[in-house]
Amino acid sequence: METVIVASGNPGKVKELSDILESFGMDVKSKDEAGYSHIDPIEDGLTYEENSLIKAEALVKASGCAVIADDSGLEVDFLGGEPGIYTSRFAGDDCNPDKNNAKLLTLMDGVPYGDRKAKFVTVITMLFPDGRKIVARGECPGHIVTEKSGEGGFGYDPVFIPEGYQSTFAQLGKEVKNKISHRARAISSLVNQLKERDLV
């Protein structure tokens, strides 16, 4: 079983990745569990792809293990695609999910449902010590609600309803989210590419 380190300190994100990848025989650890919590490179890329690669390269160099790094964002049509790569710090450097959601809902105040389209995007980079690289992208379209709903999930899950559903990610629960989310779709693409290369 190959050890794969997830270049994230976000427990929700690590849990989503490990729930899916461990079924393919991978021993998934967070960077904290693996002892690399101090590896925190500056994400100064201009795309999800660039930022995920920055994180992966730094952790592979430090650990010598295979690494999975992702960069994710919420793109809101009404806001011209914002917050995008700035999703996690939308409300400022000292922000948290509550502040980010509050800012988003304030900016969307009064916008009709038809104009509240948005999508979550995830780009996953898997980097091996020998330089092999796999890049996978996943998207999940939906809408932004007018007020937070649900206690599950993390980040913007309480304000996002995925296309084809009537409930937010925070209400739908882990089992549903892990099948339809942007991250699940990116992971599915990643696994397919791993299979094509006989790596799982």
Side-chain angles (χ1 to χ4, degrees):
M1 182 181 290
E2 181 165 14
T3 296
V4 180
I5 301 175
V6 179
S8 175
N10 183 319
K13 186 182 293 186
V14 172
K15 188 70 167 62
E16 280 188 14
L17 285 163
S18 62
D19 281 348
I20 296 171
L21 291 174
E22 284 179 353
S23 65
F24 293 93
M26 298 182 188
D27 178 23
V28 181
K29 298 181 182 298
S30 71
K31 68 174 185 177
D32 295 347
E33 291 172 328
Y36 296 100
S37 57
H38 60 288
I39 304 298
D40 191 22
I42 297 172
E43 298 174 43
D44 54 3
L46 300 179
T47 65
Y48 303 116
E49 288 81 1
E50 291 176 359
N51 282 332
S52 64
L53 181 58
I54 287 169
K55 290 183 278 191
E57 287 179 333
L59 195 49
V60 164
K61 183 177 179 180
S63 69
C65 294
V67 168
I68 288 179
D70 88 305
D71 198 45
S72 304
L74 176 67
E75 299 181 357
V76 181
D77 288 4
F78 182 77
L79 301 179
E82 291 186 351
I85 62 171
Y86 305 107
T87 292
S88 64
R89 51 190 186 277
F90 190 39
D93 290 337
D94 63 342
C95 64
N96 57 39
D98 287 336
K99 291 180 180 178
N100 285 334
N101 284 320
K103 178 177 179 178
L104 176 60
L105 293 180
T106 297
L107 290 173
M108 299 291 287
D109 187 39
V111 177
Y113 188 77
D115 294 327
R116 302 178 76 92
K117 292 181 180 179
K119 65 180 178 182
F120 273 119
V121 179
T122 287
V123 171
I124 294 175
T125 296
M126 186 168 190
L127 198 59
F128 294 85
D130 61 8
R132 288 173 296 164
K133 179 177 72 171
I134 297 175
V135 180
R137 184 183 180 96
E139 298 185 359
C140 182
H143 286 80
I144 302 300
V145 295
T146 56
E147 59 183 28
K148 291 170 61 177
S149 298
E151 300 298 325
F154 61 95
Y156 294 84
D157 286 356
V159 300
F160 181 85
I161 293 181
E163 193 172 89
Y165 291 80
Q166 302 299 317
S167 303
T168 67
F169 266 154
Q171 294 171 307
L172 287 172
K174 181 180 71 174
E175 288 188 7
V176 174
K177 184 182 177 184
N178 281 354
K179 292 178 181 178
I180 67 171
S181 75
H182 50 306
R183 190 164 292 109
R185 291 170 180 175
I187 292 172
S188 176
S189 174
L190 173 68
V191 169
N192 287 337
Q193 293 184 64
L194 287 169
K195 288 179 178 177
E196 289 171 1
R197 302 187 190 189
D198 294 324
L199 294 174
V200 293

